[in-house]
Each structure stands twice: as structure tokens, then as C-alpha cells.
Amino acid sequence: MTTVLVTGAGGYIGSVLARMLLEEGRTVIAVDRFLFGPTLPMHERLRIVTEDVRHLEIGHLEGVDAVVDLAALSNDPAGELDPELTWQVNHRARVRVARLARAAGVRRYVFPSSCSIYGFQDGLLDETSPPNPLTTYAKANLQAESDILSFTGDRLCVTVLRQATVYGLSARMRFDLAINGMVRGLYLTGTIPVLQDGTQWRPFVHVRDTCRAMLLALEAPAEHIDGQIFNVGADEQNCQILPLARGVAEALGLPFQFEWYGLPDHRSYRVSFRKIHEVLGYQPTHSPADGATEVHEALRSKQVDPHDPRTITVGWYRHLAERGAFLKRLEGKEQA
């Protein structure tokens, strides 16, 4: 796949994926509103399209070999700020992009979804387990999966990747993700913030490792991935939150101190990643300890500002809304 269009290319995952695609020698068309500022490097094979994904036209997809459709209002709390807008962007816009891709003759469409669609369940869940989405964000993801998979078998190879909770360093840094937030808390106060009650399970994956799964989906034989759903992560990175926090402190060689925050979490799920390992030979190369170490080093070296309000997604959305800029930017009426 020579030319890849990435929606949400300025985001936490997208800004890492775009760099990895460029490193592989591909041409990248990066679509984003860049609500969080510029996050991509200048490069001769990088073309930036500052556009709302809801307004993409078929012309944007001409000459494109593959689409990785990352654009979304993420995460669960952000999805509840404006549920209708979340459905517009996270569901309807994605289905529209997939339809445009098929019409433009694009060969592959990769939809990075989320393991959050599993919600709260016991046992080890695989791709055939019944979903249990509990938030607008998760429900919109699940409906997008269903509608987009209906395009399978009509010239367009469609693959859904249900990502575990992501961690690690990115040019569009996020500290509202569990491991990253734990490291920030230790760095600033010596205390890890832990969402109550700490017994909830969650699967994790490093940002570069989830991008590696997307690269595999771009290159794998179509008969292996067309119309398929894959959980993205590793069985050994299913963690309970409080023991995970202890492991983060140990990885950094710091005393383990924590404080509770928030209401008891109603999401808890463990996920099997056997399918992606067996079908695509996928195996993550980073551990939570690796991610915690790199984020901590970035804080210590001042590469990342722990006080930057853009690193907390829902807080930044609220900030833009208070300035009357959020909807204007989303509608393309104000330069990001």
C-alpha cells in the first residue's frame, strides 16, 4: 500500500502511525482538524488536509490505496460531552468515509475500534463474545463496526481492530490514559491517582504496538483479514488497575503511594488476543513498564509538559467550548 490516508492523523495514535508509515517509505495523506495543535513533522511524502472528516469528499480519496480511519471524539468521558456529536463523528462519519473509499476504488479500509465495547463482563473475552457497550463512545464504535463491515466483499477489504487501552509517548501526548496518568501523578506529586476501586480489569497496548497492528492489516493477505475483527493487545497485559499502579511505581524505582479518584469504575473486562497472534503473527514488543519508563523520561527531560491542558482530552474540549471555539473548529469555521 503506497499511499495511505489517515483520518485523525494529528491525534495520540495517528501522529505515531503517520511517522511509522513515513518511515516505511509510504506517502501519507493526514486528515485532521488539529484541535490539539500541530503534531506532525514536515516531510516530502506527507500531505496535510485540514478538514473535518464529516466533510470529506471522494476527491480526497483519489489515488489512495488504503484508509486508516482513526478520527474520533475519544474517550468515554469526552463522548458524553455531546452524545449527538459523538454519534456524528464516531459512527456516521466513519461509515461515510468507508463508503467514499469503496466508491473511489480504495483497496483497504482499516477501522481502529476499541475493546471498550466489551464494557463489564467476567471471563476472557474474544472477538465472538457478546459486546456490552456502556458509554456513548463504546456504543458508537460498535455500531460503526457493524455498518462498516457490511461493505466487505465488494472490492474493499475491511478490517476492524479493537484496541486495548493505549499507553506510551506520542507527539499529541495524553495523560487521561491510565498508565500515562499514573506516571504523571508520580512525577508531579509522588502519588499515583487510581480510579476506584482498583479491582477492575483492563487490557493494555503500547501506542507503537497498536500502530504495528494497523501496518499488518495494510499488508496481510486479504483472505486473512477481509471482514475480520481482531482484538489488539497481549494476554499478559490484562491488568487490574491497583496492581498495575504498583507495577508502574516499581518500574520507575519509586515508592508506591496512591490516592483514589472518581466514582467506582463500571467497566471491567479481560480480553483474549489469541486470534491476531495466530492469524497475523502479531506480538507486542513493549510492556507497561517500558511505556511508563519512556513517559517518565520525557517528563524529566522536559520533552513533555505535564501541565499542558491539551494533554487531558475532555478538559481541552471543555476549554474550547468555553471559548466558543469548539464547534467552530469542528465545523471548519475557525483555523485550528
Side-chain angles (χ1 to χ4, degrees), residues 179-212:
I179 292 174
N180 296 350
M182 291 175 181
V183 176
R184 177 181 181 269
L186 271 177
Y187 176 77
L188 289 176
T189 68
T191 301
I192 295 180
V194 176
L195 182 60
Q196 297 189 65
D197 62 3
T199 62
Q200 67 270 38
W201 287 90
R202 199 82 85 250
F204 291 90
V205 66
H206 191 277
V207 63
R208 289 187 65 85
D209 282 330
T210 198
C211 289
R212 286 180 52 248

Side-chain angles (χ1 to χ4, degrees), residues 11-12 83 105 141 143-144 147 154 161 166 185 230 238 273 299 307:
Y12 176 67
N141 269 330
Q143 189 61 54
D147 291 348
D154 188 11
L161 302 176
V166 187
F230 296 94
N238 282 300
F273 302 97
L299 288 167
H307 300 292

Side-chain angles (χ1 to χ4, degrees), residues 185 189 191-196 242 256-262:
T189 68
T191 301
I192 295 180
V194 176
L195 182 60
Q196 297 189 65
L242 187 57
F256 175 51
Q257 300 183 73
F258 72 94
E259 60 182 0
W260 300 116
Y261 77 93

Side-chain angles (χ1 to χ4, degrees), residues 54-260:
R54 293 172 296 169
H55 302 158
L56 286 181
E57 301 295 341
I58 195 168
H60 290 111
L61 291 147
E62 290 179 357
V64 170
D65 298 300
V67 172
V68 181
D69 202 355
L70 277 161
L73 297 181
S74 59
N75 44 18
D76 289 307
E80 303 303 335
L81 286 178
D82 188 333
E84 171 54 26
L85 185 59
T86 300
W87 277 99
Q88 287 181 29
V89 176
N90 294 18
H91 168 235
R92 293 194 286 275
R94 283 163 159 168
V95 175
R96 182 171 178 273
V97 169
R99 185 178 294 112
L100 288 173
R102 181 180 61 178
V106 174
R107 292 155 57 196
R108 296 209 177 182
Y109 175 95
V110 178
F111 172 30
S113 183
S114 171
C115 283
S116 66
I117 63 99
Y118 294 119
F120 183 95
Q121 298 190 61
D122 294 324
L124 194 64
L125 308 170
D126 64 20
E127 292 83 354
T128 66
S129 300
N132 182 31
L134 300 176
T135 63
T136 301
Y137 172 75
K139 292 172 183 177
N141 269 330
L142 183 61
Q143 189 61 54
E145 288 184 14
S146 176
D147 291 348
I148 289 165
L149 285 170
S150 70
F151 296 129
T152 288
D154 188 11
R155 302 183 304 279
L156 182 67
C157 176
V158 176
T159 307
V160 171
L161 302 176
R162 289 176 178 167
Q163 304 171 95
T165 301
V166 187
Y167 62 87
L169 193 62
S170 168
R172 192 310 233 191
M173 192 58 196
R174 285 181 59 182
F175 287 119
D176 53 359
L177 295 166
I179 292 174
N180 296 350
M182 291 175 181
V183 176
R184 177 181 181 269
L186 271 177
Y187 176 77
L188 289 176
T189 68
T191 301
I192 295 180
V194 176
L195 182 60
Q196 297 189 65
D197 62 3
T199 62
Q200 67 270 38
W201 287 90
R202 199 82 85 250
F204 291 90
V205 66
H206 191 277
V207 63
R208 289 187 65 85
D209 282 330
T210 198
C211 289
R212 286 180 52 248
M214 296 171 206
L215 298 181
L216 283 174
L218 294 177
E219 290 299 325
E223 61 268 23
H224 293 170
I225 63 171
D226 191 18
Q228 295 297 310
I229 298 172
F230 296 94
N231 295 329
V232 179
D235 288 2
E236 63 270 19
Q237 292 191 42
N238 282 300
C239 304
Q240 286 182 288
I241 296 301
L242 187 57
L244 174 67
R246 184 183 298 276
V248 166
E250 290 175 353
L252 300 180
L254 297 173
F256 175 51
Q257 300 183 73
F258 72 94
E259 60 182 0
W260 300 116

Side-chain angles (χ1 to χ4, degrees), residues 279-325:
V279 175
L280 299 181
Y282 173 82
Q283 187 66 40
T285 59
H286 297 74
S287 68
D290 297 330
T293 301
E294 72 174 358
V295 171
H296 191 253
E297 180 54 35
L299 288 167
R300 291 179 65 249
S301 65
K302 310 302 181 185
Q303 179 182 348
V304 175
D305 179 3
H307 300 292
D308 187 340
R310 293 172 298 181
T311 61
I312 307 296
T313 302
V314 68
W316 187 245
Y317 284 162
R318 286 194 180 112
H319 169 73
L320 293 177
E322 289 168 2
R323 290 174 51 213

